[in-house]
Amino acid sequence: MKIKWKLLTSSLCLSLLLGGCFGTDKSVTQKSSDGKDDVPRSDDMYESILTYTGDGYDLPGGDKNEKFAKDHKDDVEKAVKDYLKNEFNTDVKVHNMVGNRDGVTVFYESTGPLHFYATAIVPIDLKNKDVLGDHVWTLEGVVERGLKGALYAYLFEDEFKELDRILGELENEEDIVGRKIENVGGIGYMTPFYFLANSTDDEAIEPVYELYMKDPETPKAELRSAFDKEQFIPEDYLFSIQFYMEDPNKEPDEAILERIVNTIVDSTTIPSGNYAINLHDNYVIKHAAEGSKDNSISRKFPDEEIIKE
């Protein structure tokens, strides 16, 4: 199972290349021996999590395409919505557009009972000033993974609500905050406190997914009955919890991290899965929409994984 998660982590980060990959960016200011920054964080590289909305996130070679896409916003949005509806029976709301070398990466969230975030790529022909709406595409497995993760949350709604509740309490009681996810959210089922990275070969949810794709109006009870409990493996669902220090002048606090960890370990009513806990300082690396830095602290796979059966 550990080998499987190494492969999943690699594929997930590849999938998030167009949407920001949590926990992978280590390019930050150097630390002195007392743990402080040698130089102040530059405003063009970092922004407080309290105000960050996605501005500054970029992809290689996308400036001209991004400007064109935003000038033709209605055409781009229609192309994405039509593609997701036709291919995946999914209605979406577009949040942001970021130019890339060949077009524009569009960040969206689903608007139906299955809630997830993802991206689609809309090619642009600048020479002929054309949005190539008939050639929209997504990274392999991204939408499928998002739908399956959303189905898991849909089937076990009470457990997910409990997880949201206890993480919300931690935010209220400690000097920590979550993050806004609409503008540069990423991939899959997400909340301000965590994202769910689910395996592409999860056999327990597969019959549920197939049933839903045949008929999105299938009653929840029928979907729940299709869930194959005998095939369920907790490690197929990685809950990556991401908190930030609320005070811009404070480093990630080990005592707070330990409280988050203990809260997850002690809970018996949250979703089954593999939990990773991450605590960052107050700042986001703007161009990558990323909070993980050299001073971030964590408890996660492979050495300190938390498995909830």
Side-chain angles (χ1 to χ4, degrees):
M1 197 56 59
K2 291 181 183 296
I3 294 174
K4 177 180 181 179
W5 265 107
K6 287 179 181 178
L7 294 173
L8 174 59
T9 302
S10 298
S11 64
L12 177 67
C13 290
L14 177 60
S15 296
L16 287 175
L17 188 59
L18 298 181
C21 183
F22 291 98
T24 61
D25 197 321
K26 298 298 181 183
S27 56
V28 297
T29 54
Q30 295 297 313
K31 301 293 176 182
S32 62
S33 59
D34 62 1
K36 303 296 183 182
D37 291 338
D38 287 338
V39 293
R41 293 181 177 85
S42 60
D43 291 340
D44 61 343
M45 182 175 292
Y46 300 96
E47 184 173 341
S48 169
I49 189 64
L50 303 177
T51 60
Y52 182 68
T53 60
D55 291 340
Y57 179 81
D58 59 26
L59 294 167
D63 292 346
K64 292 182 179 179
N65 282 330
E66 182 171 327
K67 183 180 185 306
F68 183 86
K70 290 183 176 179
D71 288 342
H72 298 79
K73 179 180 178 182
D74 291 344
D75 293 337
V76 173
E77 288 194 3
K78 183 179 186 305
V80 171
K81 290 179 179 180
D82 289 349
Y83 173 80
L84 270 298
K85 185 67 174 179
N86 293 334
E87 295 293 325
F88 298 99
N89 290 321
T90 299
D91 294 314
V92 303
K93 176 182 179 181
V94 171
H95 285 300
N96 194 19
M97 302 177 189
V98 178
N100 59 54
R101 186 175 289 108
D102 300 311
V104 62
T105 301
V106 180
F107 295 81
Y108 63 84
E109 67 173 303
S110 60
T111 57
L114 301 186
H115 189 243
F116 67 96
Y117 294 84
T119 60
I121 296 87
V122 181
I124 290 175
D125 181 354
L126 282 179
K127 182 178 180 180
N128 295 303
K129 301 185 183 308
D130 190 18
V131 174
L132 304 180
D134 292 335
H135 298 279
V136 178
W137 59 282
T138 58
L139 292 173
E140 184 178 359
V142 165
V143 181
E144 293 89 340
R145 184 182 287 120
L147 280 167
K148 290 177 182 180
L151 278 167
Y152 184 55
Y154 183 60
L155 297 183
F156 296 93
E157 184 178 6
D158 290 342
E159 290 86 345
F160 274 77
K161 285 183 176 179
E162 176 64 9
L163 177 59
D164 294 341
R165 184 190 68 79
I166 64 174
L167 294 179
E169 286 186 355
L170 286 168
E171 182 186 47
N172 290 333
E173 295 171 3
E174 297 286 355
D175 182 28
I176 54 176
V177 295
R179 63 175 290 172
K180 296 178 181 179
I181 54 180
E182 287 84 2
N183 289 335
V184 183
I187 304 298
Y189 182 86
M190 303 181 70
T191 77
F193 306 125
Y194 62 89
F195 70 88
L196 176 61
N198 46 301
S199 172
T200 55
D201 60 356
D202 168 32
E203 296 180 7
I205 203 71
E206 188 62 29
V208 185
Y209 175 74
E210 293 176 357
L211 185 59
Y212 176 82
M213 291 303 293
K214 288 180 181 178
D215 180 10
E217 302 299 322
T218 301
K220 187 174 185 178
E222 290 185 29
L223 293 173
R224 185 71 179 260
S225 297
F227 187 75
D228 191 348
K229 296 179 181 178
E230 297 299 319
Q231 298 295 326
F232 179 76
I233 301 172
E235 290 91 336
D236 280 341
Y237 294 88
L238 173 62
F239 291 83
S240 184
I241 296 173
Q242 308 281 332
F243 273 115
Y244 295 76
M245 298 300 294
E246 186 172 17
D247 188 334
N249 297 314
K250 288 187 177 180
E251 294 285 299
D253 189 316
E254 285 282 357
I256 294 176
L257 178 67
E258 286 304 313
R259 186 183 174 197
I260 301 170
V261 170
N262 291 335
T263 298
I264 295 300
V265 169
D266 293 342
S267 177
T268 59
T269 53
I270 61 176
S272 297
N274 186 3
Y275 285 77
I277 320 295
N278 302 272
L279 181 58
H280 314 296
D281 65 18
N282 183 260
Y283 294 91
V284 176
I285 302 171
K286 294 167 66 173
H287 72 88
E290 174 59 61
S292 182
K293 300 176 289 296
D294 283 347
N295 62 344
S296 296
I297 54 179
S298 63
R299 300 288 185 273
K300 58 186 178 181
F301 172 89
D303 300 320
E304 300 173 287
E305 59 186 354
I306 303 170
I307 306 294
K308 307 298 290 188
E309 301 289 344

